[in-house]
Amino acid sequence: MFLFIFHKVSYTSTCVCLSDKREFPTFSRTIPSDFFQAKAFAQLVKHFGWTWIGAIQAENEYGIFGVQSFTKEVLKYGVCIAFTENILSSYSRAAVLQIAETIKRTGVKVILAFASEDDLYPLMQEIVSQNITGIQWLGSEDWVTAARPSTVEIFKSFGGTIGFATRKMAIPEFKDFLLNIRPSLDSANNLNNAFWEHIFECTLRLKEESFQKNVSETKSRICTGEERLDEIENALFDVSQLRVTYIVQKAVYAVAHALHDLLFCKKEENKTIRLCGDIARIEPWQVTEHIKRVNFVNRFGEAVYFDENGDPPAAYDIINWQLNKGVVSHVTVGHFDTSPDGGIQLVVDEDNIVWSTGREVSKISELDRTFFTV
């Protein structure tokens, strides 16, 4: 684990600022920079011909850098930014009301919200409370697939939202790993124990002397440690749509490949792999150099590498909020990808998009489309 101190490979940090190698020379990531997300939004705006857009940004690096990058991109296509408003979860209701008033006063029909779920949620509640509808919301990856706002109540104003989320992947064998987790009855501070108690809503009897204390404090039933995970219905065990987990896996494999290349070499005569490095003598700069050179195709057919800024290729799913049988679903309606040569690809399945109007795109006339290009 000490190697991570020398070179950090992040799976959650998306700020554009981290691409500055003068300030962060030993930083890489397997989650795309928000620079690419902003570029993806700009391509989406260009694709649909929207020309007058509002922007709401979290008043932090995530929101500010994201909207700045987006604005720089869309100005190339003649898009006008009607307003840029700041939001944070700590804002007073008066500040939230002011943003709602700006939205109503300008009459903007397309708004990009580049913020986290926590920061945006109070505004979402206010917009629903005031019954502000008919807006095509564009959602950044930090909130577009979040569970809390994905309710029928919020959907009244945010139905049809379109946004980008990191690529999802199915990892079937991960379920076997989860189902093989077992509690440790000898340790009171064990991650497996916390997982077990959470899943089965019970308290493990860890030590005889603390048994009565645990029961009286939690007033919950006692775990036997023999409960069966394969009998539990929990979204945790759905390994068919993993986003963050997949990014974590890519980070782990990137470090593993770097260490393998550093410690092992190929004997040319018989092309066998042999250990030719000493793990006890690894220098931090060596790890950094090998991580920079990582380049492989994983078992899912995706290339894993870092560019000169420590950024990976961008791979996003396009998400559309749709209501299916009374449940808000995050439906994939396209994707955005970048390539090593700087190329980009935006693919949109327009026939499957449901807009804020509730109508499918195939039923929207050209006259109706001008509603989004005021």
Side-chain angles (χ1 to χ4, degrees):
M1 291 297 292
F2 67 93
L3 293 171
F4 287 95
I5 297 173
F6 304 135
H7 190 106
K8 181 174 182 179
V9 181
S10 175
Y11 55 87
T12 57
S13 302
T14 62
C15 181
V16 178
C17 58
L18 293 168
S19 296
D20 185 347
K21 290 300 100 179
R22 291 172 299 180
E23 190 169 355
F24 304 101
T26 60
F27 178 87
S28 301
R29 50 185 160 194
T30 50
I31 188 170
S33 161
D34 290 327
F35 167 78
F36 295 111
Q37 188 180 178
K39 185 178 283 289
F41 274 120
Q43 288 298 311
L44 192 70
V45 166
K46 178 185 177 184
H47 176 84
F48 286 113
W50 297 324
T51 57
W52 196 46
I53 297 174
I56 296 172
Q57 63 187 21
E59 195 176 11
N60 52 34
E61 290 179 333
Y62 175 69
I64 293 171
F65 279 107
V67 170
Q68 281 181 352
S69 298
F70 168 77
T71 301
K72 183 178 179 180
E73 288 292 316
V74 293
L75 287 178
K76 300 174 185 176
Y77 311 129
V79 175
C80 295
I81 303 299
F83 63 81
T84 299
E85 291 282 353
N86 293 331
I87 188 68
L88 276 182
S89 59
S90 59
Y91 275 16
S92 66
R93 184 160 187 269
V96 173
L97 286 171
Q98 185 268 319
I99 299 173
E101 284 302 312
T102 298
I103 293 171
K104 291 188 294 185
R105 185 180 67 256
T106 59
V108 166
K109 299 302 180 182
V110 181
I111 300 177
L112 168 66
F114 218 111
S116 70
E117 169 207 350
D118 286 342
D119 290 328
L120 188 64
Y121 193 66
L123 177 62
M124 298 177 85
Q125 290 178 303
E126 186 60 39
I127 287 171
V128 171
S129 174
Q130 294 193 31
N131 195 30
I132 301 173
T133 59
I135 294 172
Q136 182 57 54
W137 288 92
L138 305 181
S140 65
E141 52 84 27
D142 211 78
W143 70 268
V144 77
T145 58
R148 182 169 61 159
S150 300
T151 63
V152 175
E153 184 65 23
I154 297 296
F155 190 87
K156 292 175 183 178
S157 294
F158 287 81
T161 288
I162 297 177
F164 290 96
T166 54
R167 185 69 42 82
K168 67 181 177 182
M169 196 64 67
I171 310 178
E173 63 273 22
F174 187 53
K175 185 171 184 177
D176 294 333
F177 170 80
L178 292 173
L179 292 178
N180 280 311
I181 291 175
R182 290 293 179 270
S184 172
L185 300 181
D186 297 325
S187 173
N189 298 305
N190 186 284
L191 183 60
N192 287 2
N193 291 352
F195 168 81
W196 201 267
E197 292 179 335
H198 172 74
I199 289 293
F200 292 105
E201 298 181 343
C202 60
T203 301
L204 283 162
R205 181 173 178 172
L206 302 173
K207 295 180 180 178
E208 189 65 34
E209 60 269 22
S210 64
F211 172 61
Q212 294 299 330
K213 182 174 183 288
N214 285 338
V215 173
S216 61
E217 287 184 355
T218 62
K219 293 186 170 67
S220 65
R221 66 184 184 85
I222 303 304
C223 306
T224 65
E226 300 300 322
E227 291 81 6
R228 299 194 43 145
L229 288 170
D230 57 2
E231 295 177 351
I232 293 292
E233 291 291 332
N234 192 296
L236 177 68
F237 299 111
D238 180 5
V239 296
S240 63
Q241 303 185 65
L242 300 175
R243 298 188 192 276
V244 176
T245 303
Y246 178 52
I247 297 172
V248 172
Q249 187 191 65
K250 286 197 285 189
V252 171
Y253 272 80
V255 173
H257 273 261
L259 291 175
H260 183 274
D261 291 342
L262 176 58
L263 293 171
F264 291 86
C265 55
K266 186 180 291 185
K267 197 172 182 179
E268 290 302 326
E269 306 90 86
N270 51 18
K271 296 185 178 180
T272 57
I273 303 295
R274 63 186 180 86
L275 182 67
C276 55
D278 184 354
I279 194 169
R281 296 178 180 275
I282 290 179
E283 296 291 337
W285 64 267
Q286 294 176 303
V287 178
T288 293
E289 290 304 310
H290 280 270
I291 286 179
K292 287 179 179 179
R293 295 200 293 266
V294 161
N295 194 329
F296 64 95
V297 176
N298 66 15
R299 56 190 289 265
F300 303 103
E302 282 205 67
V304 179
Y305 62 88
F306 305 108
D307 65 16
E308 65 275 12
N309 298 319
D311 292 322
Y316 294 108
D317 289 333
I318 303 175
I319 303 299
N320 182 215
W321 279 23
Q322 300 181 13
L323 198 62
N324 295 317
K325 297 180 180 179
V327 176
V328 178
S329 299
H330 306 138
V331 180
T332 301
V333 293
H335 60 86
F336 175 87
D337 297 275
T338 62
S339 57
D341 61 2
I344 58 174
Q345 181 186 50
L346 178 75
V347 176
V348 185
D349 183 4
E350 293 192 30
D351 290 339
N352 284 328
I353 294 177
V354 174
W355 299 100
S356 59
T357 57
R359 293 170 293 178
E360 295 182 0
V361 70
S362 59
K363 298 177 183 177
I364 298 179
S365 68
E366 287 304 312
L367 180 62
D368 290 329
R369 285 177 188 270
T370 62
F371 175 79
F372 297 108
T373 57
V374 178

